[in-house]
Amino acid sequence: MKSKELSVDLRDRIVSRHKSGEDYRKISAALKVPMSTVASIIRKWKKLETTRTLPRAGRPSKLSDQGRRALVREVTRNPMVTLSELQRSSVERGEPFRRTTISAAIHQSGLYGRVARRKPLLTKRHMAARLEFAKRKKILWSDETKIELFGVNARRHVWRKPGTAHHQTNTIPTVKHGGGSIILWGCFSSTNTGHKAGTNPGQGANPPQSRNCILQKNVHRSVYYQAHPIHV
């Protein structure tokens, strides 16, 4: 818990002894005040030329600096810790706080709750082996994406009142022909990038031979340029 503030008289005596040439250790021993507190009071006096408590900008935080640092350490050490677990930890430290207070303190440190991304469990040995395999086998990695030319296929969320589901501002416009889309394709290897290609918007996204046509026209050319790179 936060300790009680020192009286103005005691703070003035600390500054007076400092002016007379005493070091922090002697002042601390003589007045029975922690040396860190002595240093803090003298720094404040040098900066503001006063030992008085100045008006604060707003309501003082209930969470102490020590408690805030403890929260940040715990979140940094275990990014998947929950607010409930952090709340229990604060109770054990003698600083019981609401979840909103804990969340705000963590946000002030630049940490925010997000959905964890899923990725394959790979050790450093796995990563090194995969990279060596790709280099040795001269693999050409390729991928493609579909881009909608009108509207979106993904689910969208909207804030609305009851009974306004079909209001124009709360709906996603669609057209009978689907809106049209294109396919973009690209590839790369461990040494360079390959050709990029795409379907014509007039063809639509999935004509029978669109994907095969892209592969036939570009894969062999890309493989050739990986083996015979052009240096500009």
PDB file of all heavy atoms in Angstrom, residues 179-208:
ATOM      1  N   GLY A 179     -21.086  -9.564 -58.974  1.00  0.00           N
ATOM      2  CA  GLY A 179     -20.171  -8.445 -58.816  1.00  0.00           C
ATOM      3  C   GLY A 179     -18.844  -8.603 -59.523  1.00  0.00           C
ATOM      4  O   GLY A 179     -18.171  -7.628 -59.806  1.00  0.00           O
ATOM      5  N   GLY A 180     -18.456  -9.839 -59.815  1.00  0.00           N
ATOM      6  CA  GLY A 180     -17.198 -10.059 -60.519  1.00  0.00           C
ATOM      7  C   GLY A 180     -16.002 -10.092 -59.585  1.00  0.00           C
ATOM      8  O   GLY A 180     -16.005  -9.496 -58.507  1.00  0.00           O
ATOM      9  N   SER A 181     -14.972 -10.807 -59.984  1.00  0.00           N
ATOM     10  CA  SER A 181     -13.755 -10.920 -59.185  1.00  0.00           C
ATOM     11  C   SER A 181     -12.613 -11.377 -60.080  1.00  0.00           C
ATOM     12  O   SER A 181     -12.834 -11.803 -61.217  1.00  0.00           O
ATOM     13  CB  SER A 181     -13.953 -11.915 -58.036  1.00  0.00           C
ATOM     14  OG  SER A 181     -14.324 -13.180 -58.553  1.00  0.00           O
ATOM     15  N   ILE A 182     -11.401 -11.258 -59.570  1.00  0.00           N
ATOM     16  CA  ILE A 182     -10.215 -11.702 -60.316  1.00  0.00           C
ATOM     17  C   ILE A 182      -9.363 -12.578 -59.411  1.00  0.00           C
ATOM     18  O   ILE A 182      -9.507 -12.554 -58.190  1.00  0.00           O
ATOM     19  CB  ILE A 182      -9.376 -10.510 -60.825  1.00  0.00           C
ATOM     20  CG1 ILE A 182      -8.886  -9.664 -59.638  1.00  0.00           C
ATOM     21  CG2 ILE A 182     -10.173  -9.672 -61.808  1.00  0.00           C
ATOM     22  CD1 ILE A 182      -7.923  -8.560 -60.040  1.00  0.00           C
ATOM     23  N   ILE A 183      -8.498 -13.350 -60.030  1.00  0.00           N
ATOM     24  CA  ILE A 183      -7.533 -14.166 -59.297  1.00  0.00           C
ATOM     25  C   ILE A 183      -6.138 -13.625 -59.580  1.00  0.00           C
ATOM     26  O   ILE A 183      -5.775 -13.389 -60.737  1.00  0.00           O
ATOM     27  CB  ILE A 183      -7.605 -15.645 -59.730  1.00  0.00           C
ATOM     28  CG1 ILE A 183      -8.918 -16.274 -59.251  1.00  0.00           C
ATOM     29  CG2 ILE A 183      -6.428 -16.433 -59.162  1.00  0.00           C
ATOM     30  CD1 ILE A 183      -9.077 -17.716 -59.679  1.00  0.00           C
ATOM     31  N   LEU A 184      -5.357 -13.382 -58.516  1.00  0.00           N
ATOM     32  CA  LEU A 184      -3.959 -12.982 -58.649  1.00  0.00           C
ATOM     33  C   LEU A 184      -3.084 -14.114 -58.154  1.00  0.00           C
ATOM     34  O   LEU A 184      -3.360 -14.725 -57.123  1.00  0.00           O
ATOM     35  CB  LEU A 184      -3.683 -11.708 -57.839  1.00  0.00           C
ATOM     36  CG  LEU A 184      -4.398 -10.433 -58.304  1.00  0.00           C
ATOM     37  CD1 LEU A 184      -4.044  -9.274 -57.399  1.00  0.00           C
ATOM     38  CD2 LEU A 184      -4.037 -10.108 -59.747  1.00  0.00           C
ATOM     39  N   TRP A 185      -2.012 -14.390 -58.903  1.00  0.00           N
ATOM     40  CA  TRP A 185      -1.119 -15.515 -58.587  1.00  0.00           C
ATOM     41  C   TRP A 185       0.315 -15.015 -58.576  1.00  0.00           C
ATOM     42  O   TRP A 185       0.695 -14.129 -59.355  1.00  0.00           O
ATOM     43  CB  TRP A 185      -1.291 -16.614 -59.637  1.00  0.00           C
ATOM     44  CG  TRP A 185      -0.365 -17.792 -59.474  1.00  0.00           C
ATOM     45  CD1 TRP A 185      -0.597 -18.925 -58.759  1.00  0.00           C
ATOM     46  CD2 TRP A 185       0.944 -17.939 -60.042  1.00  0.00           C
ATOM     47  NE1 TRP A 185       0.477 -19.768 -58.846  1.00  0.00           N
ATOM     48  CE2 TRP A 185       1.445 -19.180 -59.632  1.00  0.00           C
ATOM     49  CE3 TRP A 185       1.744 -17.126 -60.850  1.00  0.00           C
ATOM     50  CZ2 TRP A 185       2.698 -19.645 -59.990  1.00  0.00           C
ATOM     51  CZ3 TRP A 185       2.994 -17.578 -61.215  1.00  0.00           C
ATOM     52  CH2 TRP A 185       3.467 -18.833 -60.796  1.00  0.00           C
ATOM     53  N   GLY A 186       1.133 -15.558 -57.670  1.00  0.00           N
ATOM     54  CA  GLY A 186       2.545 -15.201 -57.612  1.00  0.00           C
ATOM     55  C   GLY A 186       3.358 -16.330 -57.026  1.00  0.00           C
ATOM     56  O   GLY A 186       2.807 -17.305 -56.480  1.00  0.00           O
ATOM     57  N   CYS A 187       4.678 -16.251 -57.153  1.00  0.00           N
ATOM     58  CA  CYS A 187       5.543 -17.307 -56.627  1.00  0.00           C
ATOM     59  C   CYS A 187       6.893 -16.719 -56.220  1.00  0.00           C
ATOM     60  O   CYS A 187       7.257 -15.616 -56.609  1.00  0.00           O
ATOM     61  CB  CYS A 187       5.740 -18.419 -57.657  1.00  0.00           C
ATOM     62  SG  CYS A 187       6.573 -17.856 -59.168  1.00  0.00           S
ATOM     63  N   PHE A 188       7.639 -17.498 -55.422  1.00  0.00           N
ATOM     64  CA  PHE A 188       8.983 -17.086 -55.008  1.00  0.00           C
ATOM     65  C   PHE A 188       9.757 -18.325 -54.584  1.00  0.00           C
ATOM     66  O   PHE A 188       9.192 -19.382 -54.293  1.00  0.00           O
ATOM     67  CB  PHE A 188       8.931 -16.077 -53.863  1.00  0.00           C
ATOM     68  CG  PHE A 188       8.410 -16.656 -52.572  1.00  0.00           C
ATOM     69  CD1 PHE A 188       9.277 -17.152 -51.608  1.00  0.00           C
ATOM     70  CD2 PHE A 188       7.046 -16.711 -52.327  1.00  0.00           C
ATOM     71  CE1 PHE A 188       8.797 -17.687 -50.430  1.00  0.00           C
ATOM     72  CE2 PHE A 188       6.552 -17.247 -51.154  1.00  0.00           C
ATOM     73  CZ  PHE A 188       7.438 -17.736 -50.199  1.00  0.00           C
ATOM     74  N   SER A 189      11.072 -18.181 -54.533  1.00  0.00           N
ATOM     75  CA  SER A 189      11.946 -19.243 -54.042  1.00  0.00           C
ATOM     76  C   SER A 189      12.857 -18.644 -52.978  1.00  0.00           C
ATOM     77  O   SER A 189      12.693 -17.488 -52.585  1.00  0.00           O
ATOM     78  CB  SER A 189      12.778 -19.822 -55.192  1.00  0.00           C
ATOM     79  OG  SER A 189      13.752 -18.885 -55.618  1.00  0.00           O
ATOM     80  N   SER A 190      13.831 -19.412 -52.537  1.00  0.00           N
ATOM     81  CA  SER A 190      14.750 -18.913 -51.515  1.00  0.00           C
ATOM     82  C   SER A 190      15.703 -17.865 -52.067  1.00  0.00           C
ATOM     83  O   SER A 190      16.372 -17.171 -51.304  1.00  0.00           O
ATOM     84  CB  SER A 190      15.559 -20.076 -50.919  1.00  0.00           C
ATOM     85  OG  SER A 190      16.337 -20.703 -51.937  1.00  0.00           O
ATOM     86  N   THR A 191      15.766 -17.723 -53.392  1.00  0.00           N
ATOM     87  CA  THR A 191      16.714 -16.780 -53.991  1.00  0.00           C
ATOM     88  C   THR A 191      16.059 -15.552 -54.604  1.00  0.00           C
ATOM     89  O   THR A 191      16.669 -14.495 -54.676  1.00  0.00           O
ATOM     90  CB  THR A 191      17.541 -17.472 -55.093  1.00  0.00           C
ATOM     91  OG1 THR A 191      16.644 -17.989 -56.094  1.00  0.00           O
ATOM     92  CG2 THR A 191      18.367 -18.615 -54.511  1.00  0.00           C
ATOM     93  N   ASN A 192      14.812 -15.678 -55.052  1.00  0.00           N
ATOM     94  CA  ASN A 192      14.225 -14.551 -55.788  1.00  0.00           C
ATOM     95  C   ASN A 192      12.705 -14.731 -55.889  1.00  0.00           C
ATOM     96  O   ASN A 192      12.170 -15.777 -55.546  1.00  0.00           O
ATOM     97  CB  ASN A 192      14.835 -14.461 -57.200  1.00  0.00           C
ATOM     98  CG  ASN A 192      14.797 -13.052 -57.743  1.00  0.00           C
ATOM     99  OD1 ASN A 192      14.082 -12.200 -57.215  1.00  0.00           O
ATOM    100  ND2 ASN A 192      15.563 -12.800 -58.785  1.00  0.00           N
ATOM    101  N   THR A 193      12.042 -13.694 -56.391  1.00  0.00           N
ATOM    102  CA  THR A 193      10.608 -13.787 -56.668  1.00  0.00           C
ATOM    103  C   THR A 193      10.412 -14.177 -58.132  1.00  0.00           C
ATOM    104  O   THR A 193      11.273 -13.927 -58.982  1.00  0.00           O
ATOM    105  CB  THR A 193       9.908 -12.449 -56.401  1.00  0.00           C
ATOM    106  OG1 THR A 193      10.538 -11.428 -57.189  1.00  0.00           O
ATOM    107  CG2 THR A 193       9.998 -12.071 -54.942  1.00  0.00           C
ATOM    108  N   GLY A 194       9.263 -14.780 -58.426  1.00  0.00           N
ATOM    109  CA  GLY A 194       8.970 -15.201 -59.794  1.00  0.00           C
ATOM    110  C   GLY A 194       7.981 -14.283 -60.470  1.00  0.00           C
ATOM    111  O   GLY A 194       7.773 -13.142 -60.047  1.00  0.00           O
ATOM    112  N   HIS A 195       7.341 -14.794 -61.510  1.00  0.00           N
ATOM    113  CA  HIS A 195       6.362 -14.013 -62.263  1.00  0.00           C
ATOM    114  C   HIS A 195       5.084 -13.836 -61.458  1.00  0.00           C
ATOM    115  O   HIS A 195       4.742 -14.654 -60.613  1.00  0.00           O
ATOM    116  CB  HIS A 195       6.045 -14.715 -63.587  1.00  0.00           C
ATOM    117  CG  HIS A 195       7.055 -14.430 -64.654  1.00  0.00           C
ATOM    118  ND1 HIS A 195       6.892 -13.438 -65.579  1.00  0.00           N
ATOM    119  CD2 HIS A 195       8.248 -15.005 -64.917  1.00  0.00           C
ATOM    120  CE1 HIS A 195       7.944 -13.415 -66.390  1.00  0.00           C
ATOM    121  NE2 HIS A 195       8.780 -14.366 -66.005  1.00  0.00           N
ATOM    122  N   LYS A 196       4.383 -12.760 -61.762  1.00  0.00           N
ATOM    123  CA  LYS A 196       3.062 -12.506 -61.183  1.00  0.00           C
ATOM    124  C   LYS A 196       2.052 -12.489 -62.315  1.00  0.00           C
ATOM    125  O   LYS A 196       2.348 -12.019 -63.412  1.00  0.00           O
ATOM    126  CB  LYS A 196       3.052 -11.177 -60.437  1.00  0.00           C
ATOM    127  CG  LYS A 196       3.990 -11.138 -59.237  1.00  0.00           C
ATOM    128  CD  LYS A 196       3.995  -9.800 -58.567  1.00  0.00           C
ATOM    129  CE  LYS A 196       4.730  -8.761 -59.408  1.00  0.00           C
ATOM    130  NZ  LYS A 196       6.163  -9.027 -59.518  1.00  0.00           N
ATOM    131  N   ALA A 197       0.862 -13.018 -62.066  1.00  0.00           N
ATOM    132  CA  ALA A 197      -0.146 -13.086 -63.123  1.00  0.00           C
ATOM    133  C   ALA A 197      -1.536 -12.981 -62.514  1.00  0.00           C
ATOM    134  O   ALA A 197      -1.722 -13.146 -61.303  1.00  0.00           O
ATOM    135  CB  ALA A 197      -0.015 -14.389 -63.898  1.00  0.00           C
ATOM    136  N   GLY A 198      -2.523 -12.690 -63.373  1.00  0.00           N
ATOM    137  CA  GLY A 198      -3.897 -12.585 -62.902  1.00  0.00           C
ATOM    138  C   GLY A 198      -4.870 -12.820 -64.043  1.00  0.00           C
ATOM    139  O   GLY A 198      -4.514 -12.705 -65.220  1.00  0.00           O
ATOM    140  N   THR A 199      -6.110 -13.157 -63.679  1.00  0.00           N
ATOM    141  CA  THR A 199      -7.149 -13.347 -64.687  1.00  0.00           C
ATOM    142  C   THR A 199      -7.738 -12.001 -65.087  1.00  0.00           C
ATOM    143  O   THR A 199      -7.708 -11.038 -64.320  1.00  0.00           O
ATOM    144  CB  THR A 199      -8.279 -14.241 -64.153  1.00  0.00           C
ATOM    145  OG1 THR A 199      -8.845 -13.618 -62.994  1.00  0.00           O
ATOM    146  CG2 THR A 199      -7.767 -15.605 -63.792  1.00  0.00           C
ATOM    147  N   ASN A 200      -8.279 -11.944 -66.277  1.00  0.00           N
ATOM    148  CA  ASN A 200      -8.963 -10.745 -66.752  1.00  0.00           C
ATOM    149  C   ASN A 200     -10.299 -10.604 -66.021  1.00  0.00           C
ATOM    150  O   ASN A 200     -11.018 -11.580 -65.875  1.00  0.00           O
ATOM    151  CB  ASN A 200      -9.191 -10.855 -68.256  1.00  0.00           C
ATOM    152  CG  ASN A 200      -9.700  -9.564 -68.864  1.00  0.00           C
ATOM    153  OD1 ASN A 200     -10.743  -9.065 -68.438  1.00  0.00           O
ATOM    154  ND2 ASN A 200      -8.991  -9.049 -69.846  1.00  0.00           N
ATOM    155  N   PRO A 201     -10.647  -9.371 -65.539  1.00  0.00           N
ATOM    156  CA  PRO A 201     -11.930  -9.210 -64.845  1.00  0.00           C
ATOM    157  C   PRO A 201     -13.120  -9.705 -65.661  1.00  0.00           C
ATOM    158  O   PRO A 201     -14.100 -10.172 -65.107  1.00  0.00           O
ATOM    159  CB  PRO A 201     -12.016  -7.695 -64.627  1.00  0.00           C
ATOM    160  CG  PRO A 201     -10.598  -7.252 -64.606  1.00  0.00           C
ATOM    161  CD  PRO A 201      -9.868  -8.136 -65.575  1.00  0.00           C
ATOM    162  N   GLY A 202     -13.037  -9.633 -66.980  1.00  0.00           N
ATOM    163  CA  GLY A 202     -14.134 -10.094 -67.822  1.00  0.00           C
ATOM    164  C   GLY A 202     -14.284 -11.602 -67.810  1.00  0.00           C
ATOM    165  O   GLY A 202     -15.342 -12.135 -68.137  1.00  0.00           O
ATOM    166  N   GLN A 203     -13.203 -12.329 -67.432  1.00  0.00           N
ATOM    167  CA  GLN A 203     -13.267 -13.784 -67.410  1.00  0.00           C
ATOM    168  C   GLN A 203     -14.029 -14.323 -66.199  1.00  0.00           C
ATOM    169  O   GLN A 203     -14.475 -15.446 -66.205  1.00  0.00           O
ATOM    170  CB  GLN A 203     -11.847 -14.370 -67.357  1.00  0.00           C
ATOM    171  CG  GLN A 203     -11.041 -14.140 -68.618  1.00  0.00           C
ATOM    172  CD  GLN A 203      -9.665 -14.737 -68.475  1.00  0.00           C
ATOM    173  OE1 GLN A 203      -8.832 -14.225 -67.742  1.00  0.00           O
ATOM    174  NE2 GLN A 203      -9.441 -15.839 -69.165  1.00  0.00           N
ATOM    175  N   GLY A 204     -14.114 -13.492 -65.155  1.00  0.00           N
ATOM    176  CA  GLY A 204     -14.675 -13.993 -63.908  1.00  0.00           C
ATOM    177  C   GLY A 204     -13.580 -14.633 -63.080  1.00  0.00           C
ATOM    178  O   GLY A 204     -12.448 -14.794 -63.531  1.00  0.00           O
ATOM    179  N   ALA A 205     -13.913 -15.005 -61.854  1.00  0.00           N
ATOM    180  CA  ALA A 205     -12.889 -15.513 -60.942  1.00  0.00           C
ATOM    181  C   ALA A 205     -12.549 -16.969 -61.179  1.00  0.00           C
ATOM    182  O   ALA A 205     -11.446 -17.395 -60.910  1.00  0.00           O
ATOM    183  CB  ALA A 205     -13.367 -15.331 -59.489  1.00  0.00           C
ATOM    184  N   ASN A 206     -13.518 -17.765 -61.654  1.00  0.00           N
ATOM    185  CA  ASN A 206     -13.277 -19.196 -61.757  1.00  0.00           C
ATOM    186  C   ASN A 206     -13.648 -19.774 -63.111  1.00  0.00           C
ATOM    187  O   ASN A 206     -14.458 -20.692 -63.203  1.00  0.00           O
ATOM    188  CB  ASN A 206     -14.062 -19.932 -60.653  1.00  0.00           C
ATOM    189  CG  ASN A 206     -13.567 -19.586 -59.275  1.00  0.00           C
ATOM    190  OD1 ASN A 206     -12.410 -19.804 -58.971  1.00  0.00           O
ATOM    191  ND2 ASN A 206     -14.447 -19.028 -58.458  1.00  0.00           N
ATOM    192  N   PRO A 207     -13.101 -19.277 -64.221  1.00  0.00           N
ATOM    193  CA  PRO A 207     -13.344 -19.949 -65.487  1.00  0.00           C
ATOM    194  C   PRO A 207     -12.669 -21.314 -65.448  1.00  0.00           C
ATOM    195  O   PRO A 207     -11.718 -21.514 -64.691  1.00  0.00           O
ATOM    196  CB  PRO A 207     -12.667 -19.019 -66.505  1.00  0.00           C
ATOM    197  CG  PRO A 207     -11.656 -18.269 -65.721  1.00  0.00           C
ATOM    198  CD  PRO A 207     -12.223 -18.110 -64.360  1.00  0.00           C
ATOM    199  N   PRO A 208     -13.149 -22.277 -66.246  1.00  0.00           N
ATOM    200  CA  PRO A 208     -12.657 -23.657 -66.147  1.00  0.00           C
ATOM    201  C   PRO A 208     -11.143 -23.780 -66.238  1.00  0.00           C
ATOM    202  O   PRO A 208     -10.537 -24.562 -65.508  1.00  0.00           O
ATOM    203  CB  PRO A 208     -13.348 -24.355 -67.322  1.00  0.00           C
ATOM    204  CG  PRO A 208     -14.586 -23.547 -67.552  1.00  0.00           C
ATOM    205  CD  PRO A 208     -14.223 -22.136 -67.226  1.00  0.00           C
TER     206      PRO A 208
END
